[in-house]
Amino acid sequence: MWALVFRRLRLIVVAAVLLPVVSSIARRLAERVERRKAGPTLGSRGLRAVESAATKGRKLLR
């Protein structure tokens, strides 16, 4: 039982710490690429999708 509790707790802590970091890094990289290329690119759209998924994950944990 304790192993299951610690496993879930570890998952929540990692997600609570990792998701905001991933989201902010993806946002910064997308903005940088869009500034350099003067508009959205395939790569920046992918980074925006990663940012969106991380934001949804954060909202799910709240």
Side-chain angles (χ1 to χ4, degrees):
M1 182 175 138
W2 285 106
L4 189 62
V5 171
F6 287 129
R7 189 175 176 188
R8 286 184 183 175
L9 181 65
R10 185 175 56 224
L11 176 68
I12 290 171
V13 169
V14 167
V17 172
L18 196 62
L19 287 177
V21 171
V22 168
S23 178
S24 67
I25 290 172
R27 182 182 333 106
R28 288 179 186 167
L29 287 173
E31 289 172 355
R32 185 178 295 167
V33 169
E34 288 172 354
R35 260 189 269 125
R36 193 174 294 167
K37 298 292 183 178
T41 64
L42 182 62
S44 68
R45 285 189 209 121
L47 289 168
R48 295 286 182 185
V50 168
E51 176 192 4
S52 174
T55 303
K56 287 178 186 176
R58 285 176 57 196
K59 287 180 182 178
L60 183 70
L61 289 175
R62 288 184 183 176

